[in-house]
Amino acid sequence: MKIIKVDLGERGYSIHIGNSILSDKKIFNQYITSKQVLVVTNERVAPLYLKAIEKHLVNFDYEVFILPDGETYKSLDSLNQIITQLLERKFSRTCILIALGGGVVGDLTGFAASCYQRGVKFIQIPTTLLAQVDSSVGGKTAVNHPLGKNMIGAFHQPHAVFSDTSVLATLPDREFAAGLAEIIKYGLIRDEKFFSWLEENINPLIERDNQVLAYAIERSCINKAEVVAEDERETGYRAILNLGHTFGHAIETALSYKEWLHGEAVGCGMLMAADLSKRLGFFEQSQFDRIQLLLERAALPIKVHNDAEFNQIFENMKVDKKSRDGILHLVLLKNIGEAFVTSDYSEKALKETIKNFLC
Ligand code: NAD
Ligand code: GLY
Protein backbone atom coordinates (compact mmCIF):
# COMPACT_ATOMS: atom_id res chain seq x y z
CA MET A 1 0.00 0.00 0.00
CA LYS A 2 1.19 3.51 -0.84
CA ILE A 3 0.52 6.35 1.55
CA ILE A 4 0.58 9.93 0.37
CA LYS A 5 0.39 12.76 2.87
CA VAL A 6 -1.57 15.91 2.23
CA ASP A 7 0.47 18.37 4.20
CA LEU A 8 -2.06 20.79 5.68
CA GLY A 9 -1.04 20.98 9.33
CA GLU A 10 -3.92 20.09 11.62
CA ARG A 11 -6.16 19.51 8.58
CA GLY A 12 -3.56 17.20 7.01
CA TYR A 13 -4.43 13.59 6.15
CA SER A 14 -3.26 10.48 4.34
CA ILE A 15 -4.33 9.01 1.04
CA HIS A 16 -4.00 5.22 1.11
CA ILE A 17 -3.69 3.55 -2.29
CA GLY A 18 -3.74 -0.23 -2.65
CA ASN A 19 -5.62 -3.14 -4.12
CA SER A 20 -7.18 -4.66 -1.00
CA ILE A 21 -7.99 -1.72 1.23
CA LEU A 22 -11.69 -2.52 1.51
CA SER A 23 -10.86 -5.78 3.23
CA ASP A 24 -8.25 -4.21 5.52
CA LYS A 25 -9.88 -4.13 8.95
CA LYS A 26 -6.90 -2.43 10.57
CA ILE A 27 -7.21 0.68 8.48
CA PHE A 28 -10.91 1.05 9.31
CA ASN A 29 -10.22 0.58 13.00
CA GLN A 30 -7.48 3.17 12.84
CA TYR A 31 -9.61 5.90 11.27
CA ILE A 32 -13.15 5.31 12.47
CA THR A 33 -12.89 7.01 15.78
CA SER A 34 -16.60 7.47 16.50
CA LYS A 35 -19.33 4.96 17.34
CA GLN A 36 -21.78 6.88 15.14
CA VAL A 37 -21.10 6.33 11.45
CA LEU A 38 -23.17 7.23 8.40
CA VAL A 39 -22.16 5.59 5.12
CA VAL A 40 -23.39 7.53 2.10
CA THR A 41 -23.40 5.63 -1.18
CA ASN A 42 -25.63 5.15 -4.20
CA GLU A 43 -27.84 2.53 -5.79
CA ARG A 44 -25.14 1.42 -8.18
CA VAL A 45 -22.21 1.17 -5.79
CA ALA A 46 -24.11 -0.24 -2.80
CA PRO A 47 -24.73 -3.74 -4.24
CA LEU A 48 -21.06 -3.91 -5.26
CA TYR A 49 -19.12 -2.64 -2.24
CA LEU A 50 -21.34 -1.75 0.71
CA LYS A 51 -21.09 -5.21 2.31
CA ALA A 52 -17.30 -4.95 2.38
CA ILE A 53 -17.59 -1.74 4.40
CA GLU A 54 -20.38 -3.01 6.64
CA LYS A 55 -18.17 -5.92 7.71
CA HIS A 56 -15.95 -3.43 9.49
CA LEU A 57 -18.87 -1.66 11.17
CA VAL A 58 -20.60 -4.47 13.05
CA ASN A 59 -19.67 -3.00 16.40
CA PHE A 60 -20.72 0.52 15.46
CA ASP A 61 -24.00 2.41 15.60
CA TYR A 62 -24.00 2.78 11.83
CA GLU A 63 -26.53 3.99 9.31
CA VAL A 64 -26.58 3.85 5.53
CA PHE A 65 -27.94 6.51 3.17
CA ILE A 66 -28.41 5.29 -0.40
CA LEU A 67 -28.82 7.89 -3.12
CA PRO A 68 -30.24 7.26 -6.56
CA ASP A 69 -27.46 7.29 -9.16
CA GLY A 70 -26.53 10.43 -11.06
CA GLU A 71 -25.26 14.00 -10.99
CA THR A 72 -28.87 15.25 -10.55
CA TYR A 73 -28.73 13.98 -6.98
CA LYS A 74 -25.77 16.16 -6.05
CA SER A 75 -28.39 18.60 -4.86
CA LEU A 76 -29.62 20.60 -1.90
CA ASP A 77 -32.52 18.19 -1.67
CA SER A 78 -30.18 15.21 -1.16
CA LEU A 79 -28.17 17.24 1.34
CA ASN A 80 -31.34 17.95 3.29
CA GLN A 81 -32.21 14.25 3.35
CA ILE A 82 -28.79 13.34 4.74
CA ILE A 83 -29.00 16.01 7.44
CA THR A 84 -32.52 14.81 8.32
CA GLN A 85 -31.28 11.24 8.71
CA LEU A 86 -28.40 12.39 10.94
CA LEU A 87 -30.78 14.39 13.11
CA GLU A 88 -33.41 11.66 13.30
CA ARG A 89 -30.73 9.21 14.47
CA LYS A 90 -29.43 11.81 16.94
CA PHE A 91 -25.92 11.78 15.56
CA SER A 92 -23.67 14.11 17.55
CA ARG A 93 -20.77 16.35 16.51
CA THR A 94 -18.34 13.47 16.96
CA CYS A 95 -20.01 11.30 14.32
CA ILE A 96 -18.18 10.35 11.15
CA LEU A 97 -19.49 10.17 7.59
CA ILE A 98 -18.12 7.80 4.96
CA ALA A 99 -18.48 8.60 1.26
CA LEU A 100 -18.50 5.36 -0.72
CA GLY A 101 -18.79 6.18 -4.40
CA GLY A 102 -17.67 8.46 -7.18
CA GLY A 103 -17.32 12.22 -7.17
CA VAL A 104 -21.05 12.81 -6.82
CA VAL A 105 -21.27 10.88 -3.55
CA GLY A 106 -17.93 12.31 -2.37
CA ASP A 107 -18.80 15.96 -3.04
CA LEU A 108 -22.26 15.64 -1.48
CA THR A 109 -21.08 13.72 1.59
CA GLY A 110 -18.19 16.09 2.12
CA PHE A 111 -20.54 19.07 1.96
CA ALA A 112 -22.94 17.40 4.39
CA ALA A 113 -19.98 16.78 6.73
CA SER A 114 -18.93 20.42 6.42
CA CYS A 115 -22.40 21.68 7.41
CA TYR A 116 -23.66 19.18 9.95
CA GLN A 117 -23.33 20.79 13.36
CA ARG A 118 -20.77 23.18 11.83
CA GLY A 119 -18.52 20.39 10.66
CA VAL A 120 -17.90 16.70 11.35
CA LYS A 121 -15.27 14.23 10.11
CA PHE A 122 -15.66 12.30 6.88
CA ILE A 123 -13.71 9.59 5.08
CA GLN A 124 -13.53 9.36 1.31
CA ILE A 125 -13.67 5.89 -0.23
CA PRO A 126 -13.62 6.85 -3.91
CA THR A 127 -14.81 4.16 -6.31
CA THR A 128 -14.30 5.83 -9.70
CA LEU A 129 -10.96 6.61 -11.28
CA LEU A 130 -11.88 10.31 -11.39
CA ALA A 131 -12.68 10.33 -7.69
CA GLN A 132 -9.48 8.45 -6.81
CA VAL A 133 -7.23 10.89 -8.66
CA ASP A 134 -9.08 14.12 -8.10
CA SER A 135 -12.35 14.71 -6.29
CA SER A 136 -11.60 12.74 -3.10
CA VAL A 137 -8.45 14.79 -2.45
CA GLY A 138 -8.25 18.47 -1.61
CA GLY A 139 -11.42 19.21 0.34
CA LYS A 140 -13.60 20.83 -2.30
CA THR A 141 -17.15 19.81 -1.50
CA ALA A 142 -20.33 21.01 -3.16
CA VAL A 143 -23.80 20.48 -4.53
CA ASN A 144 -25.19 21.85 -7.78
CA HIS A 145 -27.70 24.67 -8.24
CA PRO A 146 -30.02 24.59 -11.29
CA LEU A 147 -28.19 27.71 -12.50
CA GLY A 148 -24.67 26.40 -12.03
CA LYS A 149 -22.60 23.38 -11.19
CA ASN A 150 -20.90 23.19 -7.77
CA MET A 151 -22.22 26.65 -6.91
CA ILE A 152 -23.05 25.79 -3.28
CA GLY A 153 -20.18 24.32 -1.33
CA ALA A 154 -17.38 24.53 1.18
CA PHE A 155 -13.76 23.61 1.69
CA HIS A 156 -13.73 20.71 4.11
CA GLN A 157 -10.83 18.28 4.11
CA PRO A 158 -11.47 14.57 4.62
CA HIS A 159 -10.12 12.72 7.64
CA ALA A 160 -8.56 10.11 5.30
CA VAL A 161 -8.87 8.79 1.76
CA PHE A 162 -8.95 5.04 1.02
CA SER A 163 -8.42 4.34 -2.68
CA ASP A 164 -8.84 0.67 -3.41
CA THR A 165 -7.83 0.08 -7.04
CA SER A 166 -9.64 -3.27 -7.19
CA VAL A 167 -13.03 -1.48 -7.27
CA LEU A 168 -12.12 0.02 -10.63
CA ALA A 169 -12.63 -3.41 -12.22
CA THR A 170 -16.39 -2.83 -12.33
CA LEU A 171 -16.17 0.71 -13.73
CA PRO A 172 -17.56 1.06 -17.28
CA ASP A 173 -14.98 1.99 -19.94
CA ARG A 174 -16.46 5.46 -20.49
CA GLU A 175 -16.24 6.31 -16.79
CA PHE A 176 -12.70 4.98 -16.73
CA ALA A 177 -11.71 7.21 -19.67
CA ALA A 178 -13.27 10.21 -17.89
CA GLY A 179 -10.84 9.57 -15.01
CA LEU A 180 -7.95 9.38 -17.46
CA ALA A 181 -8.69 12.99 -18.48
CA GLU A 182 -7.94 14.18 -14.94
CA ILE A 183 -4.78 12.05 -14.85
CA ILE A 184 -3.60 13.62 -18.12
CA LYS A 185 -4.36 17.01 -16.56
CA TYR A 186 -1.60 16.58 -13.95
CA GLY A 187 0.94 15.91 -16.68
CA LEU A 188 -0.18 19.01 -18.53
CA ILE A 189 -0.26 21.45 -15.64
CA ARG A 190 2.96 20.60 -13.77
CA ASP A 191 4.52 17.23 -14.54
CA GLU A 192 5.95 16.90 -18.03
CA LYS A 193 7.75 13.67 -17.14
CA PHE A 194 4.44 12.13 -16.10
CA PHE A 195 2.84 13.28 -19.37
CA SER A 196 5.59 11.48 -21.33
CA TRP A 197 5.12 8.42 -19.10
CA LEU A 198 1.41 8.51 -19.95
CA GLU A 199 2.19 8.64 -23.67
CA GLU A 200 4.31 5.50 -23.23
CA ASN A 201 1.90 3.68 -20.94
CA ILE A 202 -1.54 4.65 -22.17
CA ASN A 203 -2.25 1.16 -23.58
CA PRO A 204 -1.60 -0.83 -20.38
CA LEU A 205 -3.36 1.95 -18.48
CA ILE A 206 -6.50 1.55 -20.58
CA GLU A 207 -6.25 -2.21 -20.08
CA ARG A 208 -6.21 -1.44 -16.33
CA ASP A 209 -2.89 -3.14 -15.70
CA ASN A 210 -2.74 -3.09 -11.93
CA GLN A 211 0.79 -1.76 -11.50
CA VAL A 212 0.48 0.88 -14.20
CA LEU A 213 -2.86 2.01 -12.81
CA ALA A 214 -1.54 2.21 -9.26
CA TYR A 215 1.39 4.33 -10.41
CA ALA A 216 -0.88 6.69 -12.38
CA ILE A 217 -3.15 7.16 -9.35
CA GLU A 218 -0.19 7.67 -7.02
CA ARG A 219 1.49 10.22 -9.30
CA SER A 220 -1.82 12.08 -9.73
CA CYS A 221 -2.45 12.19 -5.99
CA ILE A 222 1.10 13.38 -5.30
CA ASN A 223 0.60 16.23 -7.75
CA LYS A 224 -2.77 17.15 -6.32
CA ALA A 225 -1.53 16.92 -2.72
CA GLU A 226 1.39 19.25 -3.49
CA VAL A 227 -0.84 21.84 -5.14
CA VAL A 228 -3.42 21.71 -2.34
CA ALA A 229 -0.72 21.97 0.34
CA GLU A 230 0.54 25.14 -1.33
CA ASP A 231 -2.85 26.80 -1.83
CA GLU A 232 -5.64 25.02 0.01
CA ARG A 233 -8.35 27.61 -0.64
CA GLU A 234 -7.49 28.46 -4.21
CA THR A 235 -6.29 31.99 -3.68
CA GLY A 236 -3.91 31.53 -6.60
CA TYR A 237 -1.80 28.50 -7.52
CA ARG A 238 -4.52 25.85 -6.99
CA ALA A 239 -6.46 27.34 -9.91
CA ILE A 240 -4.17 25.42 -12.29
CA LEU A 241 -6.08 22.28 -11.26
CA ASN A 242 -8.98 23.77 -13.18
CA LEU A 243 -7.29 23.39 -16.56
CA GLY A 244 -10.08 22.60 -19.02
CA HIS A 245 -12.77 23.03 -16.38
CA THR A 246 -14.10 26.45 -17.43
CA PHE A 247 -14.62 25.21 -20.98
CA GLY A 248 -15.79 21.83 -19.69
CA HIS A 249 -18.39 23.18 -17.25
CA ALA A 250 -19.74 25.49 -19.94
CA ILE A 251 -20.17 22.53 -22.28
CA GLU A 252 -21.72 20.33 -19.59
CA THR A 253 -24.23 23.06 -18.76
CA ALA A 254 -25.01 23.69 -22.44
CA LEU A 255 -25.72 19.98 -22.82
CA SER A 256 -27.86 20.06 -19.64
CA TYR A 257 -25.46 17.55 -18.00
CA LYS A 258 -27.02 14.85 -20.19
CA GLU A 259 -24.52 14.12 -22.94
CA TRP A 260 -21.04 14.19 -21.50
CA LEU A 261 -19.42 12.95 -18.34
CA HIS A 262 -17.54 15.55 -16.30
CA GLY A 263 -14.15 14.02 -17.18
CA GLU A 264 -15.03 13.93 -20.87
CA ALA A 265 -15.92 17.62 -20.78
CA VAL A 266 -12.67 18.38 -18.93
CA GLY A 267 -10.68 16.40 -21.52
CA CYS A 268 -12.10 18.39 -24.41
CA GLY A 269 -11.83 21.57 -22.33
CA MET A 270 -8.09 20.97 -21.86
CA LEU A 271 -7.64 20.72 -25.61
CA MET A 272 -9.65 23.94 -26.00
CA ALA A 273 -7.35 25.63 -23.48
CA ALA A 274 -4.37 24.37 -25.49
CA ASP A 275 -6.00 25.71 -28.68
CA LEU A 276 -6.50 29.15 -27.13
CA SER A 277 -2.94 29.11 -25.77
CA LYS A 278 -1.75 28.39 -29.31
CA ARG A 279 -3.84 31.23 -30.78
CA LEU A 280 -2.34 33.60 -28.24
CA GLY A 281 1.17 32.53 -29.20
CA PHE A 282 2.12 30.71 -25.99
CA PHE A 283 1.97 27.16 -27.20
CA GLU A 284 3.39 25.11 -30.09
CA GLN A 285 1.27 23.20 -32.62
CA SER A 286 3.43 20.09 -31.99
CA GLN A 287 2.53 20.18 -28.28
CA PHE A 288 -1.14 20.64 -29.14
CA ASP A 289 -0.91 17.55 -31.41
CA ARG A 290 0.61 15.46 -28.58
CA ILE A 291 -2.32 16.34 -26.30
CA GLN A 292 -4.91 15.61 -28.98
CA LEU A 293 -3.32 12.24 -29.73
CA LEU A 294 -3.16 11.22 -26.07
CA LEU A 295 -6.81 12.20 -25.50
CA GLU A 296 -7.84 10.25 -28.60
CA ARG A 297 -5.86 7.20 -27.48
CA ALA A 298 -7.60 7.48 -24.10
CA ALA A 299 -10.95 7.30 -25.98
CA LEU A 300 -11.98 10.81 -24.95
CA PRO A 301 -14.12 13.08 -27.17
CA ILE A 302 -12.35 16.08 -28.68
CA LYS A 303 -15.25 17.83 -30.45
CA VAL A 304 -18.57 19.06 -29.11
CA HIS A 305 -21.56 17.95 -31.10
CA ASN A 306 -25.23 17.45 -30.53
CA ASP A 307 -27.17 20.37 -29.12
CA ALA A 308 -24.55 22.64 -27.60
CA GLU A 309 -24.72 26.08 -29.16
CA PHE A 310 -21.94 28.58 -29.40
CA ASN A 311 -23.79 31.31 -27.49
CA GLN A 312 -24.77 29.00 -24.68
CA ILE A 313 -21.19 27.86 -24.16
CA PHE A 314 -19.84 31.40 -24.33
CA GLU A 315 -22.43 32.75 -21.87
CA ASN A 316 -21.99 29.79 -19.51
CA MET A 317 -18.28 30.50 -19.25
CA LYS A 318 -19.04 33.90 -17.71
CA VAL A 319 -20.72 32.44 -14.60
CA ASP A 320 -17.77 30.19 -13.91
CA LYS A 321 -16.29 30.25 -10.41
CA LYS A 322 -12.95 31.27 -11.89
CA SER A 323 -14.56 34.61 -12.66
CA ARG A 324 -13.12 37.32 -10.37
CA ASP A 325 -15.05 40.61 -10.15
CA GLY A 326 -16.86 39.61 -13.32
CA ILE A 327 -13.61 39.00 -15.25
CA LEU A 328 -13.12 35.46 -16.42
CA HIS A 329 -9.69 34.06 -15.66
CA LEU A 330 -8.61 31.06 -17.71
CA VAL A 331 -6.01 28.38 -17.11
CA LEU A 332 -3.81 28.22 -20.20
CA LEU A 333 -0.61 26.42 -21.13
CA LYS A 334 2.90 27.67 -21.85
CA ASN A 335 4.25 24.18 -22.28
CA ILE A 336 3.30 20.62 -21.55
CA GLY A 337 3.93 20.63 -17.80
CA GLU A 338 3.49 24.38 -17.34
CA ALA A 339 0.09 25.99 -16.79
CA PHE A 340 -0.72 29.57 -15.82
CA VAL A 341 -3.80 31.63 -15.06
CA THR A 342 -4.62 34.75 -17.01
CA SER A 343 -7.37 37.17 -17.88
CA ASP A 344 -5.21 38.59 -20.64
CA TYR A 345 -6.74 37.06 -23.77
CA SER A 346 -8.88 38.52 -26.50
CA GLU A 347 -12.56 37.68 -26.62
CA LYS A 348 -12.10 37.18 -30.36
CA ALA A 349 -9.55 34.41 -29.82
CA LEU A 350 -11.76 32.78 -27.17
CA LYS A 351 -14.73 32.82 -29.55
CA GLU A 352 -12.59 31.32 -32.34
CA THR A 353 -11.51 28.52 -30.01
CA ILE A 354 -15.09 27.69 -29.05
CA LYS A 355 -16.20 27.68 -32.70
CA ASN A 356 -13.26 25.45 -33.61
CA PHE A 357 -14.54 22.73 -31.31
CA LEU A 358 -18.19 22.70 -32.41
CA CYS A 359 -19.27 20.32 -35.12
P1 NAD B 1 -20.10 9.70 -10.44
O1 NAD B 1 -19.93 9.84 -9.01
O2 NAD B 1 -21.42 10.04 -11.03
O3 NAD B 1 -19.73 8.21 -10.84
C1 NAD B 1 -19.82 7.83 -12.19
C2 NAD B 1 -20.70 6.57 -12.37
O4 NAD B 1 -19.97 5.42 -11.95
C3 NAD B 1 -21.96 6.60 -11.54
O5 NAD B 1 -22.99 5.98 -12.28
C4 NAD B 1 -21.59 5.75 -10.34
O6 NAD B 1 -22.68 5.19 -9.69
C5 NAD B 1 -20.73 4.70 -10.99
N1 NAD B 1 -19.76 4.03 -10.17
C6 NAD B 1 -19.02 4.55 -9.16
N2 NAD B 1 -18.12 3.65 -8.76
C7 NAD B 1 -18.28 2.54 -9.50
C8 NAD B 1 -17.65 1.29 -9.56
N3 NAD B 1 -16.57 1.02 -8.82
N4 NAD B 1 -18.10 0.37 -10.43
C9 NAD B 1 -19.15 0.66 -11.25
N5 NAD B 1 -19.77 1.84 -11.27
C10 NAD B 1 -19.34 2.78 -10.40
O7 NAD B 1 -19.03 10.57 -11.26
P2 NAD B 1 -17.48 10.86 -11.07
O8 NAD B 1 -16.94 10.97 -12.43
O9 NAD B 1 -16.85 9.92 -10.11
O10 NAD B 1 -17.48 12.29 -10.38
C11 NAD B 1 -18.02 13.42 -11.02
C12 NAD B 1 -18.36 14.42 -9.97
O11 NAD B 1 -17.17 14.79 -9.26
C13 NAD B 1 -18.94 15.71 -10.52
O12 NAD B 1 -20.03 16.08 -9.74
C14 NAD B 1 -17.81 16.71 -10.37
O13 NAD B 1 -18.28 18.03 -10.19
C15 NAD B 1 -17.12 16.21 -9.15
N6 NAD B 1 -15.72 16.59 -9.03
C16 NAD B 1 -15.32 17.15 -7.86
C17 NAD B 1 -14.00 17.51 -7.69
C18 NAD B 1 -13.54 18.05 -6.38
O14 NAD B 1 -12.41 18.51 -6.27
N7 NAD B 1 -14.35 17.99 -5.35
C19 NAD B 1 -13.08 17.29 -8.71
C20 NAD B 1 -13.51 16.71 -9.89
C21 NAD B 1 -14.84 16.35 -10.04
N1 GLY C 1 -10.63 19.75 -9.04
C1 GLY C 1 -10.06 21.02 -8.81
C2 GLY C 1 -9.58 21.23 -7.42
O1 GLY C 1 -9.66 20.36 -6.59
O2 GLY C 1 -9.12 22.28 -7.10
Side-chain angles (χ1 to χ4, degrees):
M1 180 161 56
K2 294 275 179 191
I3 300 177
I4 294 158
K5 302 268 183 212
V6 184
D7 193 2
L8 285 172
E10 60 182 16
R11 290 182 309 290
Y13 52 96
S14 298
I15 306 163
H16 301 256
I17 304 168
N19 63 10
S20 55
I21 295 182
L22 289 196
S23 55
D24 186 342
K25 196 166 187 60
K26 261 203 276 174
I27 200 171
F28 282 84
N29 285 344
Q30 184 186 343
Y31 285 98
I32 302 181
T33 47
S34 168
K35 274 275 166 207
Q36 296 178 317
V37 182
L38 176 72
V39 183
V40 180
T41 185
N42 77 11
E43 282 173 349
R44 180 129 168 236
V45 176
L48 296 169
Y49 305 112
L50 181 58
K51 268 209 182 96
I53 307 289
E54 286 184 311
K55 269 191 191 160
H56 306 300
L57 299 177
V58 280
N59 296 324
F60 291 79
D61 171 17
Y62 81 92
E63 288 284 320
V64 178
F65 180 91
I66 300 183
L67 272 179
D69 194 7
E71 182 77 36
T72 327
Y73 298 96
K74 204 175 106 174
S75 64
L76 277 177
D77 186 45
S78 303
L79 173 75
N80 195 32
Q81 290 175 36
I82 293 175
I83 302 289
T84 303
Q85 184 160 345
L86 290 167
L87 287 170
E88 281 175 354
R89 306 296 172 189
K90 303 198 170 19
F91 272 30
S92 72
R93 278 205 68 203
T94 54
C95 74
I96 191 156
L97 273 53
I98 296 179
L100 174 69
V104 166
V105 167
D107 279 13
L108 170 68
T109 310
F111 188 44
S114 80
C115 304
Y116 187 62
Q117 302 203 14
R118 300 198 181 89
V120 298
K121 283 183 186 167
F122 82 112
I123 292 174
Q124 289 271 20
I125 307 187
T127 61
T128 62
L129 183 57
L130 181 139
Q132 294 195 350
V133 299
D134 189 4
S135 61
S136 64
V137 177
K140 278 191 181 176
T141 73
V143 295
N144 299 326
H145 185 277
L147 294 181
K149 199 171 146 60
N150 293 330
M151 282 293 154
I152 309 159
F155 286 95
H156 189 59
Q157 300 294 341
H159 182 47
V161 181
F162 304 162
S163 279
D164 188 327
T165 53
S166 72
V167 304
L168 301 177
T170 52
L171 200 62
D173 287 345
R174 226 182 123 193
E175 297 289 353
F176 188 81
L180 291 178
E182 299 284 1
I183 291 177
I184 292 169
K185 178 185 80 181
Y186 295 109
L188 286 175
I189 59 174
R190 68 194 298 275
D191 194 345
E192 193 204 349
K193 217 168 128 199
F194 183 42
F195 188 88
S196 301
W197 180 90
L198 286 168
E199 290 178 310
E200 278 163 32
N201 290 281
I202 191 71
N203 291 341
L205 190 53
I206 288 167
E207 284 154 17
R208 307 185 197 191
D209 174 286
N210 208 30
Q211 272 191 339
V212 174
L213 187 53
Y215 179 76
I217 295 169
E218 181 193 345
R219 199 64 236 153
S220 299
C221 289
I222 290 172
N223 272 294
K224 180 139 190 190
E226 286 175 1
V227 173
V228 169
E230 197 168 322
D231 179 20
E232 183 185 5
R233 295 211 158 214
E234 200 171 309
T235 53
Y237 184 54
R238 182 168 177 165
I240 63 166
L241 292 174
N242 297 319
L243 176 70
H245 284 61
T246 306
F247 290 103
H249 284 165
I251 296 167
E252 283 183 283
T253 313
L255 295 173
S256 313
Y257 301 106
K258 284 189 186 127
E259 304 286 336
W260 275 12
L261 302 175
H262 173 74
E264 291 174 328
V266 166
C268 184
M270 293 193 299
L271 198 61
M272 290 168 90
D275 179 280
L276 181 57
S277 307
K278 197 173 54 129
R279 282 173 203 280
L280 299 172
F282 296 117
F283 203 62
E284 302 279 335
Q285 179 68 44
S286 58
Q287 295 191 318
F288 177 90
D289 294 341
R290 281 175 71 190
I291 302 173
Q292 178 166 330
L293 184 61
L294 187 57
L295 292 171
E296 283 175 334
R297 290 175 70 201
L300 286 159
I302 53 160
K303 287 274 179 195
V304 188
H305 21 160
N306 304 319
D307 308 321
E309 282 176 15
F310 170 81
N311 278 335
Q312 270 181 308
I313 296 179
F314 186 66
E315 288 305 315
N316 291 344
M317 287 186 77
K318 294 184 186 163
V319 293
D320 192 273
K321 289 193 295 312
K322 270 69 74 187
S323 203
R324 291 182 211 152
D325 296 330
I327 299 165
L328 181 64
H329 289 63
L330 290 173
V331 187
L332 298 181
L333 291 167
K334 279 195 182 138
N335 278 302
I336 287 176
E338 191 182 359
F340 68 108
V341 182
T342 184
S343 60
D344 189 15
Y345 54 85
S346 74
E347 203 167 279
K348 183 169 168 279
L350 174 61
K351 285 180 173 170
E352 280 167 5
T353 288
I354 297 173
K355 282 189 187 137
N356 194 32
F357 282 80
L358 293 175
C359 65

